[in-house]
Amino acid sequence: MTNPFREHLVSRNSAEPCTVVIFGATGDLTHRKLIPALYNLAVDGELPPGVRIVGFARRDKSDQVFREGLEEVNRKVSRSGHDDAIWSSFVGNIEYHRSEFGDLDGYKSLADRLDEIDRERGGKGNRLFYIASAPDFFDDILDYLKQAGLNACRDGCWSRVIVEKPFGTDLATAQHLNEVVNRTFEEKDTYRIDHYLGKETAQNLMVLRFANAIFEPLWNSRYIEQVQITCSENLGMEGGRGGYYDTAGALRDMVQNHLLQLLSLVAMEPPTDLSADGVRDEKVKVLRSLRQWDTPEKVAENVVRGQYVAGSIDGRGVPGYREEDRVDPESMTEAYVALRLRIDVWRWSGVPFYIRMGKRLPKKATEISVHFKEAPDVLFSALPGGTTGSNVLVIRIQPDEGISLRMVSKLPGTNLRLEPVKMDFHYSTSFGKGSPEAYERLLLDAMAGDATLFARRDEVEEAWRFIDHIQRAWHASDNPPPMTEFVAGSWGPKEADDLLKADGHAWRRL
Ligand code: BG6
């Protein structure tokens, strides 16, 4: 019998030579993530030969100054360090194109320049447009790309677009943006990036579930009691981030995209194959099956929002959320959110999924924990200490990527005593090498035409549909659910603990 997983792996396309055009090339994302990712692909010999990079932005800069700025940051952040010899051959492929985002002439001259690059280098005309600008410019960039004919593919070549987050601020704006994108690029050429999907352990979720025969038979409401997804960050609003964050909040900044994507990977049915649509068809069903918290009462019952007040992290005093740089002193934006979710499908009937995300928690860690039902309480309950709890499978997304399984074992000795123990797998020790950065994998996939790890139009819209109800309740003029408080450096508000306590559960201690 043929194995669809194997066939897909064998036939996975490879990245093709192209010119990558980055809109918003003077910004943080380009310097800290995109260029270091491309550089590290070059270091590992994975960047296809003939890749050329054009930075498109408004500021006046020469190629030389642009390259120097990129080098300065790459030296600080590159995963594999900075090798002068590799950098100097890599940077020779980068140039700068100055233009306003709203000036058609800038796009026409870009088109001429891209043709020239292809002539100089014998390129086929493949183009990858990466929109990393502020969202206000997304519409203009897409419209002008079309007007300049840059979305059109000539014989045998392709033109694709990667769109960065935020992908809208609610369902209506996401739908609008989808219209605009799909006026210019077909859906198959549209890559909505969610860097969590490029993380090694997120990719491993499907392998864990579907390549190991022991988990899938247990992966349902008969054996699983509850599932938790935690994303804890110790940073606050450093580096001027408060300005953006205060308009977004934890729910829109991370739950709508990254954490609902993780949820769909945990809860989805096995896909029929590993094609981009095969996988995304199953993920979107999870989002579509989310029970909607569509009244203020349901939001109050299932969602907790919070802000931190001044506290300390690692012995260092930190300000409260409303005292952070560029945050409104009367802000009603949440820097913490905890939710109970219900997925209304047979597999998950009665199983609560909990998500929590917060800034200024004690440490940076993202993990998924699957809590299995306890063994029947018949044999060991009379022992001192009882049966000591259930099996928990923990998937550590970051840091210290890996998977552990909590089990119960007999304590060595002449008495019968039970103790929890952990079977632990660490990527770093098992494979002896670090994982690539998410952006490396995702850029390569876009060059290969593989959209599996990118969000499809309907996924983004379904996620917004769920989030919009909560936002609406929070912003209602009449009796909105309260904003809770917690001390920075603690594990979040008491109300988030109560949310789980009501179901007889507790947050896992990280
Ligand atoms: C971004 C959010 O998408 O993801 C940030 O805007 C967040 O607020 C970041 O800090 C987290 O990414 P990572 O990879 O560091 O977990």
Side-chain angles (χ1 to χ4, degrees):
M1 208 169 85
T2 58
N3 175 345
F5 288 79
R6 174 138 191 87
E7 278 182 4
H8 183 79
L9 289 176
V10 172
S11 66
R12 193 171 174 273
N13 299 337
S14 44
E16 291 179 34
C18 61
T19 302
V20 183
V21 181
I22 304 175
F23 292 93
T26 50
D28 214 39
L29 185 78
T30 306
H31 284 72
R32 301 186 66 83
K33 295 287 181 193
L34 304 184
I35 295 298
L38 291 162
Y39 166 77
N40 278 292
L41 288 172
V43 171
D44 290 347
E46 299 225 44
L47 195 65
V51 165
R52 181 94 191 175
I53 300 157
V54 178
F56 184 114
R58 293 173 296 169
R59 277 182 231 164
D60 224 352
K61 267 183 203 243
S62 63
D63 288 348
Q64 187 53 25
V65 170
F66 181 52
R67 291 170 178 174
E68 283 166 9
L70 298 175
E71 178 177 346
E72 195 186 320
V73 180
N74 193 66
R75 280 184 185 282
K76 292 186 201 141
V77 303
S78 159
R79 170 174 71 82
S80 65
H82 184 95
D83 180 303
D84 284 327
I86 301 178
W87 177 264
S88 75
S89 80
F90 170 74
V91 83
N93 295 309
I94 302 181
E95 64 185 66
Y96 188 70
H97 186 84
R98 199 209 83 77
S99 167
E100 295 297 322
F101 293 127
D103 176 12
L104 179 58
D105 286 341
Y107 295 77
K108 287 185 177 158
S109 55
L110 173 70
D112 293 341
R113 179 64 195 135
L114 295 181
D115 287 341
E116 215 171 274
I117 291 173
D118 287 334
R119 280 196 300 274
E120 284 164 19
R121 306 202 146 208
K124 279 191 351 189
N126 293 335
R127 274 101 204 240
L128 181 60
F129 297 104
Y130 197 121
I131 307 188
S133 67
D136 299 354
F137 301 112
F138 287 5
D139 284 29
D140 270 358
I141 294 171
L142 286 156
D143 278 345
Y144 286 117
L145 278 174
K146 183 172 184 180
Q147 287 188 45
L150 282 163
N151 57 338
C153 310
R154 279 161 301 177
D155 300 339
C157 69
W158 47 259
S159 185
R160 300 181 186 136
V161 68
I162 301 183
V163 188
E164 256 299 331
K165 65 172 282 237
F167 203 87
T169 51
D170 56 16
L171 177 60
T173 50
Q175 282 171 330
H176 167 78
L177 187 52
N178 275 329
E179 298 287 310
V180 176
V181 176
N182 290 153
R183 261 200 316 259
T184 302
F185 291 93
E186 287 180 42
E187 182 60 26
K188 72 172 179 45
D189 295 320
T190 303
Y191 293 71
R192 295 172 194 79
I193 203 160
D194 186 313
H195 77 279
Y196 263 60
L197 291 177
K199 289 186 190 281
E200 197 66 56
T201 344
Q203 294 173 48
N204 199 22
L205 269 167
M206 273 209 296
V207 178
L208 172 81
R209 289 189 52 198
F210 305 131
N212 294 292
I214 60 170
F215 293 119
E216 202 46 26
L218 307 181
W219 213 259
N220 57 54
S221 60
R222 276 187 75 184
Y223 299 100
I224 292 178
E225 172 75 23
Q226 48 137 337
V227 178
Q228 301 184 9
I229 300 177
T230 295
C231 176
S232 141
E233 293 189 5
N234 49 4
L235 290 182
M237 299 296 123
E238 292 86 347
R241 241 186 113 62
Y244 150 74
Y245 197 84
D246 205 35
T247 63
L251 189 68
R252 290 199 280 209
D253 182 51
M254 286 208 67
V255 178
Q256 185 273 338
N257 38 55
H258 309 323
L259 302 185
L260 287 183
Q261 284 289 338
L262 291 183
L263 175 88
S264 47
L265 288 170
V266 175
M268 70 193 246
E269 295 299 318
T272 47
D273 58 36
L274 284 184
S275 65
D277 280 334
V279 172
R280 297 185 299 179
D281 283 347
E282 295 306 329
K283 279 167 59 207
V284 77
K285 284 186 204 160
V286 174
L287 300 172
R288 215 174 277 148
S289 311
L290 285 176
R291 197 176 298 168
Q292 302 291 324
W293 303 142
D294 53 5
T295 63
E297 294 73 30
K298 290 183 198 166
V299 172
E301 194 184 324
N302 294 291
V303 188
V304 173
R305 57 174 168 166
Q307 289 178 340
Y308 49 88
V309 297
S312 78
I313 296 179
D314 294 333
R316 194 173 48 90
V318 294
Y321 178 68
R322 291 180 179 186
E323 292 124 42
E324 293 267 23
D325 182 28
R326 302 191 203 181
V327 170
D328 177 356
E330 292 180 19
S331 171
M332 283 300 282
T333 301
E334 77 291 355
Y336 175 98
V337 63
L339 308 98
R340 178 194 294 113
L341 300 104
R342 298 277 180 188
I343 303 172
D344 283 328
V345 294
W346 268 47
R347 184 193 282 265
W348 297 120
S349 169
V351 180
F353 284 73
Y354 305 107
I355 290 181
R356 64 177 158 164
M357 189 290 134
K359 301 275 185 194
R360 292 265 195 244
L361 299 182
K363 59 175 173 179
K364 181 162 172 73
T366 304
E367 66 155 53
I368 299 166
S369 54
V370 179
H371 301 245
F372 290 88
K373 293 195 167 157
E374 288 201 27
D377 194 16
V378 286
L379 289 178
F380 301 113
S381 53
L383 296 178
T387 54
T388 74
S390 62
N391 302 117
V392 182
L393 182 71
V394 177
I395 299 142
R396 294 186 302 275
I397 305 289
Q398 62 188 25
D400 183 23
E401 291 97 331
I403 299 173
S404 73
L405 181 62
R406 180 192 189 276
M407 299 189 306
V408 179
S409 168
K410 179 186 169 300
L411 199 65
T414 48
N415 290 332
L416 184 56
R417 291 276 301 275
L418 306 190
E419 276 283 317
V421 290
K422 223 163 65 171
M423 268 170 61
D424 218 348
F425 146 62
H426 298 259
Y427 270 72
S428 53
T429 46
S430 295
F431 297 120
K433 62 174 194 172
S435 307
E437 283 270 328
Y439 279 97
E440 296 174 36
R441 167 69 197 258
L442 295 174
L443 281 162
L444 218 49
D445 278 4
M447 291 180 203
D450 184 346
T452 313
L453 300 178
F454 293 81
R456 203 170 58 186
R457 177 177 181 149
D458 49 356
E459 288 181 88
V460 171
E461 294 184 6
E462 286 301 335
W464 275 122
R465 201 182 308 282
F466 176 76
I467 297 294
D468 270 12
H469 291 304
I470 302 172
Q471 290 286 348
R472 227 171 277 135
W474 283 352
H475 295 111
S477 50
D478 194 23
N479 210 12
M483 178 69 76
T484 67
E485 283 185 354
F486 65 101
V487 177
S490 72
W491 276 107
K494 176 185 161 299
E495 288 80 353
D497 296 338
D498 296 342
L499 182 72
L500 271 68
K501 216 184 271 174
D503 302 336
H505 300 143
W507 291 108
R508 208 182 91 79
R509 280 180 37 197
L510 267 69

